[in-house]
Amino acid sequence: MEARIAQKPQLSFWQIFNMSFGFLGIQFGFALQTGNASRILQTFGADVEHLSWFWLAAPLTGMIVQPIIGHYSDRTWNRLGRRRPYFLTGAILSGLALFFMPNSGVLAAFIPPIIVGASMLMIMDASFNVAMEPFRALVADNLPDSQHSAGFSMQTVLIGVGAVIGSWLPYVFAEWLGIAKTAAPGHIPANVVYSFYIGGAVLIMAILWTVIRTKEYSPEEYAAFHPAEVHQPETKKGGIAQIFTDLAHMPTTMKQLGLVQFFSWFALFSMWVFTTPALAEHVYKVLPGDTTSVAYNDAGNWIGVLFGIYNLVSAIYACFLPAIAKATSRKMAHAFSLTMGGAGLISMYFISNPNWLILSMVGIGLAWGSILAMPYAILSSSIPAKKMGVYMGIFNFFITFPQIVNGVFGGPIVKYFYNGHAIYAIVMAGVFMLLSALSVLRVQDNKKLI
């Protein structure tokens, strides 16, 4: 007798909100990392051409961690649920790393602070990865396909809110509350340290909100929703070996999205690593090697504000993305957004007034809002629900690999081809973002939007 297929119920606005709220905390911490990690590492002695090498720790750990977490979260059902045990663990570890990274200097008597700082960056990113992909799989688990775009867009809105607060916090502490924005050589300013403390606390509390307020389907309910997949015979390979089997059999749409992701995440990595030294020199006229002057710290604080602006734009834009995608298509909406991001990155080269950089951030915000939503909405419609976690993890290869390539070659390119001028790395990022917009046009996305 053929198994009866039950339909997932439509979830309310508040159910989707509660399910996604943990992402606010994750992105709060991630914004502090992306906005301040290069600044912290330079304070501890890193040269600009070596920054990308220290940042390599992040994508390397992500490439290893996310597929494994996705694979095992597909096979986990316990008292906490299927995905929740993983992002709760990731939240606790991320919070601890946020606390320790700006305090790396206290261990200088035993270990060079640059090594401690880079290690904390690696641990922090690994922990973010443990938390992040099970969240994306949770949306696909709990929502019917007709609500996937809405679910990932809700995540993008909350990502934007968390990132705005996290990005602006050092500036608010320094300029509004008068907390010290400079420190002795080799030490992190107090406004940055306190921001990381608050970021760790917010991250843990936001994840706990989702853990407490969100229900996951039981194995029996899952079987009712996906009887064909549940009754498929299991392959003989298990454990980590199964990940490589799944990698070899990834859907065509996923492969095509891989090229899109390569170009866009290569661009994003350049932006996160090089924006602080690029704008400090190009706009604020800070001399190379200066990490203690008021001008350098003003640049660092303003870049935090700018990063908050692009995240604010992405949060607002995400509210309209489902309607835009429905009126055009998911891939056309994504192509337009990436084009705006490329234009925003390239425009930084032509700007000398820090305030005009806000316009650049608008374009970048459109791209970021779409990058966080559209590829996952397209992907989730093309992969089997039984393997949602592992394929979401494998999809992270297409995020981490371009960052690793950039991390290895980005620094030498800046040193030997751009003569140490990081602003040209930002222009290169804009070109890669435009290439991403072109490549998305060939992606197959035949899923009808409802």
Side-chain angles (χ1 to χ4, degrees), residues 35-36 39 167-172 174-176 181 191 275-276 279-280 283-284 294-310 351-359 361:
N36 296 280
R39 177 183 183 181
S167 297
W168 287 358
L169 205 54
Y171 181 88
V172 169
E175 305 300 331
W176 295 5
K181 63 182 179 183
N191 67 318
T275 295
T276 295
L279 297 183
V283 177
Y284 285 82
V294 172
Y296 178 83
N297 285 287
D298 281 342
N301 290 335
W302 182 240
I303 287 162
V305 173
L306 293 175
F307 278 19
I309 289 171
Y310 87 69
I351 292 174
S352 58
N353 185 326
N355 293 324
W356 284 105
L357 291 167
I358 292 173
L359 294 179
M361 294 301 121

Side-chain angles (χ1 to χ4, degrees), residues 27-86:
Q27 199 63 26
F28 193 116
F30 188 65
L32 287 168
Q33 173 188 308
T34 56
N36 296 280
S38 288
R39 177 183 183 181
I40 291 172
L41 293 172
Q42 280 191 294
T43 300
F44 289 151
D47 296 324
V48 64
E49 64 266 20
H50 296 149
L51 284 175
S52 63
W53 291 356
F54 287 110
W55 276 77
L56 266 177
L60 281 172
T61 53
M63 177 175 281
I64 297 168
V65 168
Q66 287 203 7
I68 295 173
I69 294 298
H71 173 79
Y72 284 107
S73 71
D74 281 340
R75 290 156 172 76
T76 298
W77 264 295
N78 58 31
R79 290 169 57 186
L80 270 180
R82 189 184 190 190
R83 313 294 183 185
R84 288 181 293 179
Y86 294 93

Side-chain angles (χ1 to χ4, degrees), residues 159-435:
I159 283 170
V161 172
V164 169
I165 301 171
S167 297
W168 287 358
L169 205 54
Y171 181 88
V172 169
F173 277 159
E175 305 300 331
W176 295 5
L177 302 180
I179 296 174
K181 63 182 179 183
T182 60
H187 292 78
I188 308 302
N191 67 318
V192 176
V193 175
Y194 295 156
S195 297
F196 271 67
Y197 291 167
I198 292 176
V202 169
L203 192 154
I204 292 172
M205 288 189 292
I207 294 283
L208 283 173
W209 179 273
T210 290
V211 169
I212 294 169
R213 303 284 295 181
T214 298
K215 170 186 176 292
E216 291 191 77
Y217 291 120
S218 67
E220 293 75 22
E221 290 170 316
Y222 176 89
F225 294 141
H226 308 286
E229 292 185 19
V230 170
H231 291 98
Q232 286 177 353
E234 292 289 336
T235 59
K236 293 182 179 180
K237 291 183 179 180
I240 304 302
Q242 183 62 41
I243 296 176
F244 293 98
T245 300
D246 294 330
L247 179 64
H249 295 89
M250 73 175 73
T252 300
T253 296
M254 186 172 172
K255 296 176 184 177
Q256 294 169 339
L257 283 170
L259 185 62
V260 178
Q261 295 290 84
F262 178 89
F263 288 131
S264 57
W265 282 90
F266 188 101
L268 289 170
F269 190 82
S270 288
M271 182 185 73
W272 291 330
V273 173
F274 293 113
T275 295
T276 295
L279 297 183
E281 178 190 5
H282 190 68
V283 177
Y284 285 82
K285 310 305 179 185
V286 174
L287 296 176
D290 177 5
T291 61
T292 60
S293 67
V294 172
Y296 178 83
N297 285 287
D298 281 342
N301 290 335
W302 182 240
I303 287 162
V305 173
L306 293 175
F307 278 19
I309 289 171
Y310 87 69
N311 280 287
L312 177 62
V313 170
S314 75
I316 297 171
Y317 185 54
C319 299
F320 301 96
L321 262 178
I324 295 171
K326 187 174 183 179
T328 56
S329 69
R330 293 192 283 208
K331 67 179 187 179
M332 288 304 297
H334 195 38
F336 165 77
S337 306
L338 293 170
T339 301
M340 293 299 101
L345 286 164
I346 294 171
S347 70
M348 291 189 202
Y349 178 80
F350 302 99
I351 292 174
S352 58
N353 185 326
N355 293 324
W356 284 105
L357 291 167
I358 292 173
L359 294 179
S360 303
M361 294 301 121
V362 172
I364 294 168
L366 298 182
W368 181 234
S370 188
I371 287 168
L372 291 173
M374 285 299 106
Y376 296 97
I378 297 170
L379 176 69
S380 62
S381 298
S382 69
I383 55 181
K386 185 178 181 181
K387 294 184 177 294
M388 190 65 67
V390 69
Y391 273 128
M392 285 289 182
I394 291 172
F395 194 56
N396 192 59
F397 283 163
F398 303 128
I399 293 174
T400 56
F401 179 67
Q403 294 182 70
I404 292 169
V405 173
N406 194 331
V408 171
F409 297 107
I413 288 172
V414 168
K415 182 176 182 178
Y416 296 109
F417 287 89
Y418 304 149
N419 295 317
H421 300 301
I423 187 64
Y424 295 110
I426 303 300
V427 175
M428 180 176 67
V431 173
F432 270 74
M433 195 71 80
L434 295 177
L435 291 173

